[in-house]
Amino acid sequence: MAEDAVFRIAGVTKSFGPNLVLGGIDLALRAGEVTVLMGANGAGKSTLVKILSGVYRLDGGAMTLAGAPHDPATPAEAMRAGVVTVHQNINDGVVAALDVATNLTLDRLNGAAAPLFFSRRRVRREARAIAGRMGLSLDLSADIAGLSLADRQMVAIARAMSHEPKVMILDEPTASLSNSEATRLFQLIDRLRDRGVAILYISHRMSDIRRIADRILSLRDGAIVGTFDEAPLDYEGAVNAMLGQTVDKRAIKARAATKTVFSADDLRIAPGARPFSFSLGAGEVVAVTGLVGVGKTALAETLFAIRKPLGGTMRLDARAYAPASPGRAIDAGVFLVAKDRASSGLVPDFNIYENISLPFLRRLSRLGVSQRRGERHVARAQIGELSIVCRSERDNLATLSGGNQQKVTVGRWLSQPCHLLVLDEPFQGVDIAARRDIAAKLRAGAGGRATLLFLTELDEAMETADRILVMSEHTLIGEHRNEDVDMDRLLAEVAGRDVRGAA
Amino acid sequence: MTDPGERTAMDVRTDEGHLGKMAPEPPRRRSSVREIAIRYGFIALLLGLVIFFSAFTRGFASPQAAVFILQSVSITGILALGVTATLVVGGFDLSIGSIATSSMMAAAYVMVVLEQDAMTAVIACLAIGALVGLVNGLIICYMRVPDLLATLGMMFLLIGLQRIPTEGRSIAVGMTLPDGSTAAGQFSQAFLALGRHRFDFFISNLVPSSVVVLIVLAILIWFFLEYTRFGRMMYAVGSNARAAEFAGAPVKAYKIWAYVISGVFASIGGILLAARLGRGDIASGNNLLLDSVAAALIGFAVLGAAKPNAFGTAIGALFVGVLLQGLTMMNVPYYTQDFIKGAVLVIALMFTFALAGRAAR
């Protein structure tokens, strides 16, 4: 490790009860350098971030910041010492009810030095200075509530930067950003790097890492298992170290559909969008890919009757399909594994089996009385099928890791047969091993039904689908069989160029 | 349902399962002192109170005293069971007290002024409860008025409305009507029996009908919430409405039904109140709302549920009844009652949220 490290931690350990989560981490961050920390779910990334930012105390080891010992008891203390953290959940970093200027100067409203009276003019002036330094071009009087997620994050970062930190930690900052928003974030990070801030960047996303990493650390099972800092960076080596296994590059064997299960004709899902048609067959897994915000979720929700199509018709098993509500869609045999399990998938107060049986209570109950024994039986089957790690089907969701919660979400909809299974970003926030478990299960059970996945990550689509459809501007513009895919054409379509006419 | 004993700290996550197997059979978790305290603390406290009062007062440990306690909490208990339904779907109903008094006034009005029989009066009351609940639900679900505000407004409206037909006077047999004539109707004997009849239970004339109604309704709503799919969906709606919608549940319908249940239960409470008093008393029922909400909230602490539940609500109501009865028999002055109820509520809520919250984190 380099001698000129601004921030250095040595032998940091942390356990929760009997679980050793971090088993002696050594790490050094240098000024003006972006260090990327990669790790699967459960590797200990979040715990490490929380120790660095003062949420948790460490059990053993030591941290030094610019030569002085650093052991913050609270997040505020860490911030004052010069270690600021931008957390994954963007809305934790801003106050939605206040305007941009107040948000930028929020930290100055507290503390002994803060003036008693709130001067709008002074706030505006200070905010302008902060925004100017960061090259932030936002209307300072706009309410945060009216800003996009990316703009909110810019505000949170700019505010963090107003403390002139030595170290900045970014915890999966692009998780809810679109590509163009992410690009703006990267430009901001470039600027921070130029100003000599040591940056620790935590991410799953390969595209992010390729763009900004100066150095990569791989974390596995609470230990740093690989350090990569020689240009050109060995990205595959870093992934391998993180997983402890070789990336599976086997192309899947693309299967052909047997009979048509679902078809849509001249479907229109947004005002002004071109109508499109597609059909899905039994036994095939189809992925719709495209950038964030091109209408993938809108299509998924249209199929599940959360939204109404603006035009066109759908047919399921050769009968007209126009469900009035999600309940009707379920009755017709169309299931949706919705995006973002925490907000639209899981019921936090329910245990595993109650979550799995939720949409099927009518089938699983007799005369309106729920049959817990039957529900538990169904849940146990899914726990086994998807290798969900838990003590029993009565476990509370809070005890499960993110990947296992996602398996519960998927398992719920696999627990009953259906005609069309729609999955919207089923691999979001799931490590690669859990992702492979889920993908394998989807492919293995695809027999009697049509399976439609909505995936932003092209790699995920290539890894799981027989056929790949490309979406752009709320319409489908390309189709590829997952065999010797013409990557140039596919990427051009993803980027929004309709090459069907030209090809 | 939720078993806090099975919770582990949020951050102590079992690692991802790569092995394709279920975790080994869990070692039976040793329950810590805190978990036992959360689970059984409140019931132990209730038993402790009963033993304490039995030992230190004369006559507390008698069937009559037990029945008296039940009778004293029967009406608030019924209202509390109704409001539990709205708490389950993540709502709240502040109008229950005024629904109960409106239905009491309506019962008196139907019999005394309109000279109808008991059946008509009961049906009128139930209809009022269902209608108000329905309106509450519609305002909350379709007009997007926050539940507290909608039902607060409804409470105000009903308190005023119930006084209009009689120009602000209480309704009693033989009262003078606004037009100067005398009311000719009577409280029918069948109706009064709802409040005054006592059933034989080992001892003759022991159990008042209001207590029977309370017990029947408690068992009904408990079974409904815990063991039917409708009850389960209501809990799902309360815990994550969007997830319930994505699981195919008609979320608004469940919410509206919860308010209808709450309204009907409150009107049943009002019927019993009218039957007990034998008149439509403007001034009665002031404490109904606060007492019943307190019982439902105390119920959060019972068995460490940390969520609304019918069993807890019933125990919560009983707890308040036991405490007040015992203290009264120990000659604690009546004017301390509200203070004691408030203290119990605050302690129960701290118990629920501090202890259970810590275990979940």
Side-chain angles (χ1 to χ4, degrees):
Chain A
M1 299 243 175
E3 293 307 310
D4 55 340
V6 176
F7 186 71
R8 184 189 293 279
I9 72 174
V12 164
T13 59
K14 179 76 186 171
S15 19
F16 293 106
N19 291 28
L20 183 69
V21 180
L22 296 179
I25 303 264
D26 296 313
L27 176 158
L29 302 177
R30 281 171 257 173
E33 193 177 74
V34 176
T35 304
V36 166
L37 182 67
M38 291 177 78
N41 287 336
K45 294 184 309 256
S46 310
T47 309
L48 182 60
V49 169
K50 284 180 177 161
I51 288 176
L52 300 183
S53 60
V55 178
Y56 295 154
R57 301 300 287 267
L58 43 75
D59 290 348
M63 302 192 274
T64 46
L65 178 65
H70 174 70
D71 183 20
T74 64
E77 216 171 281
M79 202 197 285
R80 273 196 298 276
V83 178
V84 301
T85 307
V86 177
H87 289 285
Q88 195 172 355
N89 188 348
I90 291 170
N91 288 321
D92 288 352
V94 289
V95 181
L98 299 177
D99 63 6
V100 171
T102 317
N103 264 286
L104 284 173
T105 55
L106 204 54
D107 305 309
R108 303 185 181 191
L109 297 179
N110 291 308
L116 177 61
F117 294 102
F118 179 84
S119 152
R120 197 159 282 281
R121 208 144 43 106
R122 192 189 59 244
V123 163
R124 204 53 66 74
R125 192 179 58 234
E126 288 177 359
R128 225 179 350 253
I130 294 168
R133 264 207 308 273
M134 297 303 300
L136 198 66
S137 54
L138 281 174
D139 175 9
L140 293 178
S141 60
D143 272 351
I144 291 288
L147 297 185
S148 69
L149 280 176
D151 285 336
R152 291 182 199 196
Q153 189 160 40
M154 299 292 167
V155 171
I157 293 174
R159 182 175 129 208
M161 279 310 294
S162 71
H163 295 276
E164 298 291 337
K166 302 181 187 78
V167 178
M168 175 168 271
I169 301 162
L170 293 149
D171 189 1
E172 300 200 32
T174 55
S176 35
L177 299 187
S178 72
N179 282 24
S180 64
E181 290 172 331
T183 308
R184 285 177 52 203
L185 176 69
F186 298 146
Q187 287 164 357
L188 187 61
I189 292 174
D190 288 341
R191 216 167 303 144
L192 298 180
R193 169 163 42 193
D194 294 343
R195 291 177 50 169
V197 179
I199 295 167
L200 182 65
Y201 187 99
I202 290 142
S203 183
H204 284 306
R205 274 201 195 173
M206 264 341 272
S207 52
D208 292 11
I209 295 167
R210 286 205 167 90
R211 166 72 176 72
I212 59 158
D214 295 317
R215 202 153 65 98
I216 303 176
L217 300 177
S218 300
L219 185 70
R220 176 156 53 97
D221 297 334
I224 301 280
V225 290
T227 305
F228 303 86
D229 51 5
E230 278 165 41
L233 291 175
D234 180 5
Y235 299 108
E236 280 179 17
V239 173
N240 288 355
M242 163 182 120
L243 293 177
Q245 66 194 60
T246 319
V247 177
D248 191 358
K249 279 205 174 143
R250 276 174 312 183
I252 59 160
K253 197 175 276 170
R255 292 175 298 202
T258 48
K259 68 177 192 356
T260 302
V261 172
F262 176 88
S263 62
D265 284 303
D266 293 329
L267 203 61
R268 216 153 58 78
I269 56 170
R274 224 176 47 202
F276 58 92
S277 305
F278 66 98
S279 65
L280 306 168
E284 68 171 345
V285 176
V286 179
V288 174
T289 187
L291 302 177
V292 172
V294 296
K296 298 196 298 297
T297 296
L299 177 55
E301 293 184 352
T302 304
L303 298 177
F304 196 58
I306 302 269
R307 295 170 187 239
K308 300 272 168 289
L310 298 177
T313 55
M314 298 185 279
R315 297 180 75 75
L316 183 71
D317 270 344
R319 274 193 302 275
Y321 171 70
S325 67
R328 287 291 151 73
I330 294 169
D331 292 343
V334 175
F335 295 173
L336 170 68
V337 178
K339 189 173 165 174
D340 190 0
R341 61 175 176 269
S343 79
S344 43
L346 298 172
V347 177
D349 286 351
F350 282 14
N351 61 28
I352 295 176
Y353 80 81
E354 288 166 336
N355 264 294
I356 286 181
S357 64
L358 188 67
F360 309 113
L361 282 178
R362 190 177 318 182
R363 290 171 214 192
L364 294 172
S365 57
R366 220 172 293 151
L367 298 172
V369 179
S370 50
Q371 306 290 315
R372 285 170 190 272
R373 189 192 293 252
E375 291 175 35
R376 291 174 59 177
H377 182 75
V378 168
R380 270 200 301 274
Q382 290 305 317
I383 288 169
E385 289 274 309
L386 287 166
S387 331
I388 297 171
V389 179
C390 59
R391 283 180 296 120
S392 86
E393 68 280 6
R394 290 200 310 261
D395 277 10
N396 252 298
L397 285 176
T399 63
L400 300 185
S401 70
N404 281 310
Q405 289 185 2
Q406 184 65 17
K407 286 181 181 178
V408 171
T409 317
V410 174
R412 165 196 289 174
W413 297 103
L414 291 176
S415 72
Q416 298 281 330
C418 65
H419 296 300
L420 171 61
L421 180 63
V422 183
L423 302 99
D424 192 3
E425 298 292 352
F427 307 131
Q428 207 177 40
V430 164
D431 73 44
I432 292 178
R435 176 169 117 200
R436 296 228 171 97
D437 281 355
I438 295 173
K441 206 68 231 160
L442 287 176
R443 287 191 64 78
R449 62 161 190 261
T451 308
L452 184 63
L453 294 143
F454 290 87
L455 299 167
T456 305
E457 291 281 309
L458 202 50
D459 294 354
E460 295 174 357
M462 305 286 285
E463 218 176 80
T464 37
D466 300 310
R467 197 146 63 92
I468 297 173
L469 304 176
V470 183
M471 194 162 206
S472 179
E473 293 177 2
H474 293 84
T475 188
L476 292 176
I477 58 166
E479 177 176 354
H480 303 261
R481 209 173 135 66
N482 195 1
E483 265 177 358
D484 305 321
V485 175
D486 177 355
M487 285 307 287
D488 292 340
R489 188 164 76 100
L490 180 58
L491 289 170
E493 285 167 351
V494 169
R497 220 153 4 110
D498 192 344
V499 286
R500 232 179 340 190
Chain B
M1 301 289 284
T2 312
D3 180 356
E6 290 180 353
R7 288 184 184 169
T8 58
M10 190 83 162
D11 292 291
V12 186
R13 288 178 165 166
T14 30
D15 209 3
E16 295 298 322
H18 302 162
L19 303 174
K21 262 193 245 141
M22 252 177 84
E25 194 55 31
R28 207 52 238 164
R29 276 170 59 81
R30 284 154 291 152
S31 304
S32 70
V33 174
R34 188 203 287 145
E35 281 163 2
I36 292 172
I38 290 172
R39 226 172 139 62
Y40 301 110
F42 221 82
I43 289 183
L45 203 58
L46 179 61
L47 288 177
L49 278 181
V50 170
I51 293 166
F52 175 81
F53 288 133
S54 305
F56 289 94
T57 66
R58 266 198 298 155
F60 186 88
S62 69
Q64 286 81 4
V67 165
F68 185 82
I69 289 169
L70 282 170
Q71 189 180 14
S72 72
V73 299
S74 60
I75 291 172
T76 49
I78 289 167
L79 265 63
L81 291 168
V83 83
T84 302
T86 61
L87 291 171
V88 165
V89 296
F92 206 8
D93 192 348
L94 289 176
S95 65
I96 46 169
S98 60
I99 292 175
T101 50
S102 295
S103 114
M104 169 190 69
M105 295 300 282
Y109 194 83
V110 166
M111 286 182 293
V112 173
V113 180
L114 302 180
E115 301 170 34
Q116 300 294 319
D117 61 359
M119 193 51 127
T120 316
V122 167
I123 289 171
C125 291
L126 295 178
I128 287 171
L131 180 70
V132 175
L134 182 66
V135 172
N136 275 338
L138 291 173
I139 291 175
I140 289 162
C141 289
Y142 289 99
M143 309 282 160
R144 298 167 186 280
V145 179
D147 43 34
L148 281 173
L149 305 185
T151 55
L152 181 75
M154 184 57 77
M155 172 178 101
F156 238 112
L157 188 150
L158 290 177
I159 289 174
L161 182 64
Q162 71 199 23
R163 297 175 177 213
I164 291 176
T166 59
E167 298 187 344
R169 274 167 286 188
S170 294
I171 301 173
V173 175
M175 71 180 287
T176 311
L177 294 175
D179 62 5
S181 62
T182 303
Q186 289 285 335
F187 265 83
S188 81
Q189 286 309 309
F191 189 86
L192 291 175
L194 287 174
R196 298 172 181 179
H197 181 73
R198 285 169 178 267
F199 293 95
D200 299 342
F201 186 72
F202 296 109
I203 302 169
S204 60
N205 288 336
L206 179 67
V207 184
S209 46
S210 61
V211 172
V212 175
V213 173
L214 170 69
I215 291 170
V216 168
L217 289 179
I219 291 171
L220 266 181
I221 196 80
W222 170 76
F223 185 81
F224 176 79
L225 288 176
E226 298 291 324
Y227 291 98
T228 69
R229 65 181 170 92
F230 309 101
R232 183 91 67 80
M233 289 314 287
M234 282 171 69
Y235 273 111
V237 167
S239 178
N240 185 348
R242 195 171 148 80
E245 187 192 351
F246 274 79
V251 169
K252 286 179 176 162
Y254 276 110
K255 284 194 173 172
I256 292 171
W257 272 112
Y259 286 96
V260 171
I261 291 172
S262 172
V264 168
F265 272 52
S267 66
I268 293 172
I271 292 169
L272 296 178
L273 191 61
R276 186 186 294 171
L277 297 173
R279 53 191 250 119
D281 188 347
I282 294 276
S284 67
N286 288 337
N287 254 345
L288 280 177
L289 170 66
L290 292 180
D291 285 0
S292 45
V293 167
L297 294 180
I298 290 170
F300 281 34
V302 176
L303 291 183
K307 62 179 183 181
N309 65 102
F311 180 72
T313 299
I315 297 291
L318 196 61
F319 189 91
V320 172
V322 165
L323 191 62
L324 292 185
Q325 169 72 357
L327 292 176
T328 306
M329 291 176 84
M330 292 184 78
N331 293 325
V332 174
Y334 72 93
Y335 51 77
T336 57
Q337 286 197 353
D338 278 349
F339 170 76
I340 290 162
K341 280 187 267 186
V344 170
L345 177 59
V346 170
I347 291 167
L349 289 176
M350 292 192 309
F351 196 78
T352 303
F353 290 98
L355 287 176
R358 207 176 305 150
R361 196 159 321 138

